[in-house]
Structure formats: structure tokens, C-alpha cells
Amino acid sequence: MASQVPKAGRPRSEPARRAVLTACGELLQQGGLRAATTDRIAALSGVSKATIYKWWPNKYAVALEAFLSQMNAESPDPDTGSAAEDFRLTVRGTARFYASPIGRIFAQLLAEAQSDPTEASDLIGRLVTSRRGVVRAIWDRGVLRGELRDDVDPDVALDLFFGPLVYRMLAGHAPLDERAADEVVRVALTGLNRTNRNKT
Amino acid sequence: MASQVPKAGRPRSEPARRAVLTACGELLQQGGLRAATTDRIAALSGVSKATIYKWWPNKYAVALEAFLSQMNAESPDPDTGSAAEDFRLTVRGTARFYASPIGRIFAQLLAEAQSDPTEASDLIGRLVTSRRGVVRAIWDRGVLRGELRDDVDPDVALDLFFGPLVYRMLAGHAPLDERAADEVVRVALTGLNRTNRNKT
Amino acid sequence: MASQVPKAGRPRSEPARRAVLTACGELLQQGGLRAATTDRIAALSGVSKATIYKWWPNKYAVALEAFLSQMNAESPDPDTGSAAEDFRLTVRGTARFYASPIGRIFAQLLAEAQSDPTEASDLIGRLVTSRRGVVRAIWDRGVLRGELRDDVDPDVALDLFFGPLVYRMLAGHAPLDERAADEVVRVALTGLNRTNRNKT
Amino acid sequence: MASQVPKAGRPRSEPARRAVLTACGELLQQGGLRAATTDRIAALSGVSKATIYKWWPNKYAVALEAFLSQMNAESPDPDTGSAAEDFRLTVRGTARFYASPIGRIFAQLLAEAQSDPTEASDLIGRLVTSRRGVVRAIWDRGVLRGELRDDVDPDVALDLFFGPLVYRMLAGHAPLDERAADEVVRVALTGLNRTNRNKT
DNA sequence: ATATAACCGAGACGGTACGTCCCGTCTTCCA
DNA sequence: TGGAAGACGGGACGTACCGTCTCGGTTATAT
């Protein structure tokens, strides 16, 4: 009932919107964020620059949306009954995503946001927070089931799993494969202290 | 005994080198990486653009070196006899650094490297690896003293401490203060599993 | 009927074009070709460098066009009925032009073309050939009327009049005033041989 | 007896001087004046830039001297007893020279002088005036022998021969070969008026 | 023979202009 | 009114050449 306002004149062209996102996505995959210049997006999509800037505030917003529309069904949302197993599956999936070509684009978007505080928060909000809800649910279930500690800040807990992945994606100082993901989960759960000797 | 070669010709001007780094550092602090344009660095330092490009391949290399020369004595290197305590101090220091204005620049440099694979690896190497040696020593001491597990990949261990900090610095989804640092250390050491109930 | 094509998109800005030429002409008059740098033209005209380079291949093309637009109505095109008189008037006018400040710019453009064969031919074509038609007509009329010889290569004939002027403009080894112009015409018509003693 | 001052210290290195001129000449022939940059001259000759600038005020002075040292024995100085014949030979030689690759360099030097009035006069003086004496002698002999008119400004007379050559060299609007040279001489001597019908 | 002054190579430096690239805004005409 | 086409101002980039400068080392002459 909100958008029931009749809106005089010609409505926004949905094909144009899709063409922009498709073209941008293609350019992102081929040459990363740097290759996705507005001119090129316009040329490839057949949509004029003016139209692009009419619907997105700047080219990063376009890239962000193009990126999000590509990682739609990527992320797993497991519920095996074991928090440890759920985390293992999720962290593995995230690692795979970060290591993929699309993950590079994620890094570049995250990077770009560092210099552009205006649009950055929204960008980060949509990129990071969206995933956050899913894994938060895993955590809560684990705590409820008595598998996980209830005296830990959930944000810290989740960062213990995903921080290392982000770090490796950006700095590339160590591998970002399935073994690494599993090790992160194992150690995060059991702790680094020597006395904490127990099974995952 | 290596650099005893007389080196023909006028030697590189040390004042010029320093002026460039100082000027760049100033611009970085004032307006971030975006404000540190080559023209402005040249104007502020009194060093010509040609000279700058003679000694640094591009402006990010200048910014990187200016940045490194500013964080010289920043980082603590504790050895209290307790690995837990050492990590707490180090992680606290790192968190403080990341949260500071200079930390923002670190983020931007890390960011820039995402799109520039050529110079990126060196950049990351100098930014990340340099710190890594110090904390690795803490880890090794802890393992030797029997405080820490010896069945854990040290890279994973260290990432468990610093990954969350990097993540928060870049994404800003959660605070990056002393409390957060302490909580990260505490949880990383003791683990997230319920059965791991013990003091740090 | 040729330019009836509607031409999509925003049309080229005529004010911008004129502003560039005006600014360039001003700079040319003040400091010669050397003073007419692209940056200064851009600054003075208010037209961006990118736009300038969009419409002219380099700054000499701009200078050439600015120069041509200034010497529009300068050149006389006499038809007195006497070829001798016509040439006298034309050569006088040309000498005056060469000796003027604008003439200096002509010299510099001609000069620049010597090192730049790519754009040079067009440059010379527009600078030299354009004038050539007018004086060629004088020659042809004179031949038709029986005043001038019909066994002489017209190109040589014209060069006999104008070559000396160009030579003096560039080398400056002798004056380039009205008397010199008249003398050139007189001698070119009557020849240097002693036996050729007759009135102009 | 003027330069008998003993001059303490090491004298100027003649090999260095020659190396500079040779290197510069080579570069001039290969790529014209534009290719003869000071750095390249220094590199090719093995003489340092400082030394070059110690002995020549700027690079055009070097190019000029290198050029002059190459056109030493080029120019004919005929004395056949006939002024017409002498001029024909001289003008032919000059045309050949102007049309040659070295002639291109002459054009470029002449050109460069247009924007640099400081050093220009000397440059022109040495390039143009030096040749002028030889042909002036031909003229004077012709007048004395009664072959040529004595009521003509000699400067105008000479320019009638050489002006067209310079013009064609710079503008390239017409050929610059032996036929053209001969035609210039023929017409200059006999004049363009119809009544002046006689053999050279 | 030794001092000393001028030389010379190498090459770093400040300055100035170049031409290119991309961004985000604008203007014009068409559907 | 939406949109395609594309021109425009702004501003940074990295390169090239000029002419000056500072090193350390060399060489001819004057004492």
C-alpha cells in the first residue's frame, strides 16, 4: 500500500537495471573492480551513464549490487544438530567463497570502502551483516543445546571463526583452503591452552 | 663490508628522501591515502615529482614507506614469562593501533593492494610479515614452556588472535577496544566448547 | 543537405571551442607558441584539458586553428587589371603580415612542423596552400592578358615572389618592409640580367 | 698573443669535444633534432652532461656546431667566368643540400631559432651568413663583368635565388630537385615580364 | 716532486609540460 | 517523463627532457 502512488510518466526500465548489473558483474569477473568503470558498464550494457547515476549513487553501489546478486545462493545454512559440524560447514563454505574469484571482488569492495566513509557503512552493512545473522543462529542453537559456552560475547565468538578467513583473504600470508578452515574451527572450539585437551 | 663500493656520481639526497616521507606522512594523517597525491607530496616536500618516481614505483610505495617509518616504535614486544600475558599485551597494542587514525591508513593500504597484484605482495609482506615475527616468538616460547598446545598450526593460532582485529578494523561491525582485545585473547586461549571451562 | 544527420547525444559546445581558440590566440600573441601550453589554454579558457585533447590531436593543432582564425580577413585579394600591380599589393601585404607579431607565430608553426612529419603536412597544407590559390589567380590572369610569360612554371614564379619573404622572415638577414617587397616584385618581373633593361 | 695566458690546471679535453659532436651528429642523422637530447648525447659520447653544458650554452648550440662540422666541404664555390653558370651550380648544390637528410636538420635548426630569440641570432648568423659571402662574390663578379644589373639590391638578388629553395624546403609544396633549381635561376635572371624574352 | 687548480664521469635533483584516464554532471534529442 | 548518446569540468597520473648541482677521481702545469 505504500507504493500504490500512481507515479505519472514512464516507469523505471527493469531491463535496463538488469543489463547494468549483468554487465557490471561480467566486468568484475574479468578484471576486478578496477575494470568496472562506468563508461565500460554503460557501453557493455547499452544503458547510458546518466541512467546509471540516476539509480545508483556511484559506481561502487552498482558493483556492490552486482556482486550481491551473484552470491545469492552461494552460502550454506546448515543445521545438522551439532554446532561444531554446522560451523565447520559454514566456515568451509566461507573460505571457499573468499578464495574464489568472486571473493577477490569482495576484498576489493571491502577495500574501497576504507577510503569512502560516506557510502562505506551501508556497503559493509549489506556485505557483512547479511551473513552474520545465519551464523549467529548456529551459535545460539549451540549455546541453547549446551554445546557452547554461554559466557562468551557472541560477536567475539563469530569473529574467532571468520576473522582469520578475512585476514588471510586480504593479506594472503597463509593458505585459505579446506584444511585451514577445519583447523580454525577445531582450534577455536578447543582453545590454545595446553590444559584444554579434548575432542572437537 | 658489502656497501664499501664507492658509488660513482652524486649520491642520493637523504634530505629529499626524508622530506618526501614526512610530507607524505603528514598528508596521510590529514586526509588519508586519497589526499596523498603525488603532486601534493611533491609540492609539500619541495621534492620534484620526477625524483619521487625515480625512487618509488608509485605513490602507494611512498605511502607504505611513510607509514612504516611512522609505526617504528609503536609496537610492543613483551616477554613477561606468561604467553597469555604476552598475547594480551600484544593484542591490546595491535587493537589500539588499528583503531587509531594511523590504523585507518593501514586499512587503506591493505585495501589498495587488493587491486594491484603486482606491487601488492611486497606491500603485504612488509606490512604483515614484519609484525608476524614478534608474535610468533611469543607463541614458540609458550609452546616451549608447556603453556600452549604443540599440536596446532602456529599460523592458525596467530590468526585466531589477529584475524578478529583485522576483521573489525575493516568491517567495523563491532568495537575494537581493550575489552574486545582481552575477550579475544581469553576466548582464543580457552576455546568455545562448553567443556573447556577454565581460567586463562 | 549533407549534415542533416541528427547526431545523437549532446552536441559539441561551440562556446567551448571558441573559448579555446580565443585563449590560445591570446597566449600566442603574448608569449608565442611556447607560452601556449595546454594547461594554460585550459585554465584561461575554462575548458578542460580532456576536452581540448578530444577535439585536437595536440597543442599545435590548436595553435594552428587559433592562428588561422585570426588571419581570416588579413590577406588582400586585389584585381587591378595589372598583374604587376596586383603582385605588388599582395607581396606588400604578405610582407607586412610576416613582419607582424602574428607573423612570428606563423614562423613558429612552420618551424614546429619540421620535426613532426605526421601532422606537419596537413599543417603546411592549410597554412601555405590556402594563400596559394589567390596569387595563382593573379598569375593566370597576367598570363592571359599577355603581361606575363607563358613559358614559366607557375610554382617557380610564385616562389620567386614569396620565397624571399619567407626566407627573410625566418633568417632575418635583411629587412622585410614595403621597400623590400617592392624591390622583390620589381626585380622578379624584370630579371637580373643586364640586357633586361625595361620598366616595371 | 692574446691567448698566451698560461692557464693553470688541466686544459679542456679535445677528445671529449669531438666525441660530443660526433655523437650529436649521429643522433641528428638518425632521428633529427628531437632525438638529440642531452642525455642521449652524453650517453652515446661518454661525455658527462655537466661537461657538455660547460662548453656549450645549450643543446642547440651543440647541434648547430655538430651540424656545421658535417657540412664542411659540401658547398661548391664555382668561378666559371659566367655568373649565370656560377649561380646555376651554386643553386643546384644548395637545392641538393636542402633536400638531403642533413638539410632536414638545417630546417629544424632554423625552426628552433624562431622561438628562442636569445641564441637565435648567432645561430642564424652562422648558418645563413656564412654561405652568403660566397654567393655574394659571384654576384659582384657578374656585376663587374657587366653580365648583371647594377641597379639591384644585392640582398634582394640573392634572395631571389635562395628564398624559393628555403621556402620549398620548409613548406614542401613543390619539388626541390635539379630541374627546379635550374628553372629558378633561369627565371630569376630573365624576369617574369613577357617582354623580357631572351636566353640565359 | 709536489701542490693545486681545473678538468671530467656519473648521476641525482627541481622544474615544467605533456598526453591519458576516469569520475560524476550536463545537455540534446528521441520514444 | 525515461532513456541513449555523448560532451564536459575536474583532477590525478606517470613520463620526458632541460639545465643545474654535487660527488669522487684525474691530469697538467707552477712552484
Side-chain angles (χ1 to χ4, degrees):
Chain A
M1 90 241 269
S3 57
Q4 289 303 72
V5 188
K7 291 287 228 73
R10 182 172 166 185
R12 174 174 181 184
S13 158
E14 179 60 23
R17 193 186 134 269
R18 257 200 300 269
V20 167
L21 294 180
T22 306
C24 181
E26 218 160 297
L27 290 168
L28 282 175
Q29 293 226 326
Q30 277 168 24
L33 192 52
R34 195 142 298 187
T37 68
T38 35
D39 291 270
R40 261 194 284 231
I41 295 172
L44 186 57
S45 67
V47 171
S48 81
K49 275 208 292 177
T51 304
I52 296 176
Y53 278 106
K54 168 146 204 172
W55 299 110
W56 290 275
N58 52 48
K59 72 164 205 156
Y60 300 108
V62 181
L64 172 58
E65 193 163 330
F67 172 77
L68 287 174
S69 77
Q70 286 206 347
M71 63 168 282
N72 38 10
E74 295 276 347
S75 33
D77 183 7
D79 187 1
T80 60
S82 153
E85 189 58 23
D86 285 358
F87 274 124
R88 187 154 31 236
L89 292 172
T90 313
V91 170
R92 272 186 188 173
T94 306
R96 213 179 309 119
F97 172 68
Y98 284 170
S100 73
I102 320 183
R104 299 303 318 155
I105 297 164
F106 170 60
Q108 290 172 20
L109 286 170
L110 189 57
E112 193 58 38
Q114 301 307 316
S115 299
D116 209 330
T118 321
E119 315 282 346
S121 53
D122 153 75
L123 197 148
I124 286 171
R126 297 175 65 184
L127 270 178
V128 175
T129 318
S130 62
R131 288 293 300 142
R132 202 104 181 146
V134 174
V135 287
R136 176 62 190 264
I138 299 178
W139 172 260
D140 288 339
R141 286 198 302 268
V143 171
L144 266 177
R145 283 194 297 253
E147 302 171 39
L148 302 172
R149 294 165 63 175
D150 56 2
D151 65 332
V152 165
D153 180 350
D155 277 332
V156 169
L158 299 187
D159 287 354
L160 228 55
F161 290 122
F162 298 102
L165 304 189
V166 170
Y167 192 14
R168 290 186 173 203
M169 169 182 68
L170 293 170
H173 58 282
L176 190 55
D177 51 15
E178 193 161 296
R179 273 197 64 247
D182 288 352
E183 179 76 350
V184 164
V185 173
R186 180 178 75 93
V187 178
L189 288 173
T190 56
L192 297 164
N193 277 340
R194 178 132 220 259
T195 41
N196 308 328
R197 187 56 22 84
N198 43 22
K199 297 285 187 289
T200 7
Chain B
M1 87 243 264
S3 59
Q4 287 305 75
V5 188
K7 296 270 251 122
R10 179 177 176 175
R12 176 174 180 182
S13 161
E14 183 59 20
R17 194 189 130 268
R18 258 200 299 269
V20 167
L21 295 179
T22 306
C24 181
E26 219 159 297
L27 291 168
L28 283 175
Q29 293 226 326
Q30 277 168 24
L33 193 52
R34 195 142 299 188
T37 70
T38 36
D39 290 271
R40 259 196 284 231
I41 295 172
L44 185 57
S45 68
V47 171
S48 80
K49 247 193 329 170
T51 301
I52 295 177
Y53 277 108
K54 167 152 202 147
W55 297 110
W56 292 275
N58 51 52
K59 67 169 205 152
Y60 300 110
V62 181
L64 171 59
E65 194 164 329
F67 173 76
L68 286 174
S69 78
Q70 285 205 350
M71 64 169 279
N72 39 9
E74 296 276 347
S75 32
D77 183 9
D79 187 0
T80 61
S82 153
E85 188 60 23
D86 285 358
F87 274 124
R88 186 153 32 234
L89 292 172
T90 312
V91 170
R92 273 185 188 173
T94 305
R96 213 180 309 120
F97 173 69
Y98 284 171
S100 74
I102 320 184
R104 298 304 317 156
I105 298 165
F106 170 62
Q108 290 172 18
L109 285 171
L110 191 57
E112 192 58 39
Q114 300 308 315
S115 299
D116 210 329
T118 321
E119 315 281 346
S121 52
D122 152 76
L123 197 147
I124 287 171
R126 295 175 65 187
L127 269 179
V128 175
T129 319
S130 62
R131 287 292 301 141
R132 202 116 180 131
V134 173
V135 288
R136 177 63 191 266
I138 298 177
W139 172 260
D140 288 339
R141 286 199 302 267
V143 172
L144 265 177
R145 282 195 296 255
E147 302 170 39
L148 302 172
R149 295 165 63 174
D150 57 3
D151 65 332
V152 166
D153 180 348
D155 278 332
V156 169
L158 298 187
D159 288 354
L160 229 54
F161 289 122
F162 298 102
L165 303 189
V166 170
Y167 192 13
R168 290 188 174 202
M169 170 181 68
L170 293 170
H173 59 282
L176 190 54
D177 51 15
E178 195 161 292
R179 273 195 66 246
D182 287 353
E183 180 75 351
V184 165
V185 173
R186 181 177 76 93
V187 179
L189 287 173
T190 56
L192 296 165
N193 277 341
R194 179 132 218 261
T195 41
N196 309 328
R197 185 59 24 82
N198 43 21
K199 294 285 184 290
T200 2
Chain C
M1 84 246 265
S3 58
Q4 286 305 74
V5 188
K7 295 266 254 132
R10 178 178 177 175
R12 175 173 181 183
S13 161
E14 183 60 21
R17 194 189 131 268
R18 256 200 300 268
V20 167
L21 295 180
T22 305
C24 181
E26 220 160 296
L27 291 168
L28 282 175
Q29 293 227 327
Q30 277 168 24
L33 193 52
R34 196 142 298 187
T37 69
T38 36
D39 290 271
R40 259 195 284 232
I41 295 172
L44 185 57
S45 68
V47 171
S48 81
K49 248 195 326 170
T51 301
I52 295 177
Y53 277 106
K54 169 153 201 144
W55 297 111
W56 291 275
N58 52 50
K59 67 169 206 153
Y60 299 110
V62 182
L64 171 58
E65 195 164 331
F67 171 77
L68 286 175
S69 77
Q70 285 206 351
M71 63 169 279
N72 37 12
E74 296 275 348
S75 32
D77 183 7
D79 186 0
T80 61
S82 153
E85 188 59 23
D86 285 357
F87 274 124
R88 187 154 31 233
L89 292 172
T90 313
V91 170
R92 273 186 188 173
T94 307
R96 212 179 309 120
F97 174 68
Y98 284 170
S100 74
I102 319 183
R104 299 304 316 154
I105 298 164
F106 170 60
Q108 291 173 18
L109 286 171
L110 190 57
E112 191 59 39
Q114 301 306 317
S115 299
D116 210 330
T118 321
E119 314 282 347
S121 52
D122 152 75
L123 196 147
I124 286 173
R126 296 175 64 185
L127 269 179
V128 174
T129 317
S130 62
R131 287 292 300 140
R132 202 107 181 140
V134 173
V135 286
R136 176 62 190 266
I138 298 177
W139 172 260
D140 289 338
R141 285 199 303 266
V143 171
L144 264 176
R145 282 195 297 254
E147 302 172 37
L148 303 172
R149 294 165 63 174
D150 56 3
D151 66 332
V152 166
D153 180 348
D155 278 332
V156 169
L158 299 186
D159 287 354
L160 228 55
F161 290 122
F162 299 101
L165 304 189
V166 170
Y167 193 13
R168 291 187 174 204
M169 170 181 67
L170 293 171
H173 58 282
L176 190 54
D177 51 16
E178 194 160 294
R179 273 196 65 247
D182 287 353
E183 179 76 352
V184 164
V185 173
R186 181 178 75 94
V187 178
L189 287 173
T190 57
L192 296 165
N193 277 340
R194 179 133 217 261
T195 41
N196 308 329
R197 186 58 22 85
N198 42 21
K199 297 286 184 290
T200 1
Chain D
M1 93 238 279
S3 58
Q4 288 304 73
V5 187
K7 290 287 229 76
R10 179 176 173 181
R12 174 175 181 181
S13 159
E14 180 59 22
R17 191 187 135 268
R18 255 199 300 268
V20 167
L21 295 179
T22 306
C24 182
E26 219 159 297
L27 290 168
L28 282 176
Q29 292 228 326
Q30 278 168 22
L33 192 52
R34 194 143 297 186
T37 70
T38 35
D39 290 270
R40 261 195 283 230
I41 295 172
L44 186 56
S45 67
V47 172
S48 80
K49 274 206 293 176
T51 303
I52 295 176
Y53 278 105
K54 168 144 206 170
W55 298 112
W56 290 275
N58 52 50
K59 72 165 206 155
Y60 299 110
V62 181
L64 173 58
E65 193 165 332
F67 172 76
L68 287 175
S69 78
Q70 286 206 349
M71 62 169 283
N72 37 12
E74 295 277 347
S75 32
D77 183 6
D79 187 0
T80 61
S82 154
E85 189 60 22
D86 286 356
F87 274 124
R88 189 156 29 233
L89 293 173
T90 313
V91 170
R92 273 186 188 173
T94 306
R96 213 180 308 120
F97 173 69
Y98 284 170
S100 74
I102 320 183
R104 299 302 319 153
I105 297 164
F106 170 61
Q108 290 173 18
L109 286 170
L110 189 57
E112 192 58 39
Q114 301 307 316
S115 299
D116 210 330
T118 321
E119 315 282 346
S121 52
D122 152 76
L123 197 148
I124 286 171
R126 296 176 66 185
L127 269 179
V128 174
T129 318
S130 62
R131 286 292 300 139
R132 202 106 180 142
V134 173
V135 286
R136 177 62 191 265
I138 298 177
W139 173 260
D140 288 339
R141 285 199 302 268
V143 171
L144 264 177
R145 282 195 297 256
E147 303 172 37
L148 303 172
R149 294 165 63 175
D150 57 2
D151 66 331
V152 165
D153 180 347
D155 277 333
V156 169
L158 299 187
D159 287 355
L160 228 55
F161 289 122
F162 298 101
L165 304 189
V166 170
Y167 193 14
R168 290 186 174 204
M169 170 182 67
L170 293 171
H173 58 282
L176 190 54
D177 51 16
E178 194 161 293
R179 272 195 65 247
D182 287 352
E183 179 76 351
V184 164
V185 173
R186 180 177 77 93
V187 178
L189 287 173
T190 56
L192 297 165
N193 276 341
R194 178 133 219 262
T195 42
N196 309 328
R197 186 58 24 84
N198 44 20
K199 295 283 186 290
T200 1

